Amino acid sequence: MITMVYSYTLLLADGQYLSLLSDDTVFGVLSEHPGAQLVSRNEYGYRAVVAD
């Protein structure tokens, strides 16, 4: 299976910015960082997910 990977930029509650790569949804990323605001989400690339 192939999934899209996104580059997220978040503004944290303390005023700092956080950039991360994730294949999770916006809701999923924000739920991992309480109080953060979404600044941007851009397509970064693809990831192959292999399961046995």
Side-chain angles (χ1 to χ4, degrees):
M1 183 167 91
I2 297 178
T3 62
M4 176 62 74
V5 176
Y6 298 96
S7 171
Y8 288 93
T9 302
L10 306 177
L11 176 59
L12 302 178
D14 63 1
Q16 295 185 4
Y17 288 92
L18 172 67
S19 295
L20 58 100
L21 297 176
S22 177
D23 60 356
D24 204 354
T25 63
V26 172
F27 179 78
V29 170
L30 290 176
S31 67
E32 293 177 15
H33 300 88
Q37 296 178 359
L38 178 67
V39 175
S40 68
R41 175 185 178 220
N42 298 302
E43 293 179 353
Y44 183 79
Y46 296 93
R47 177 184 351 210
V49 179
V50 180
D52 290 335

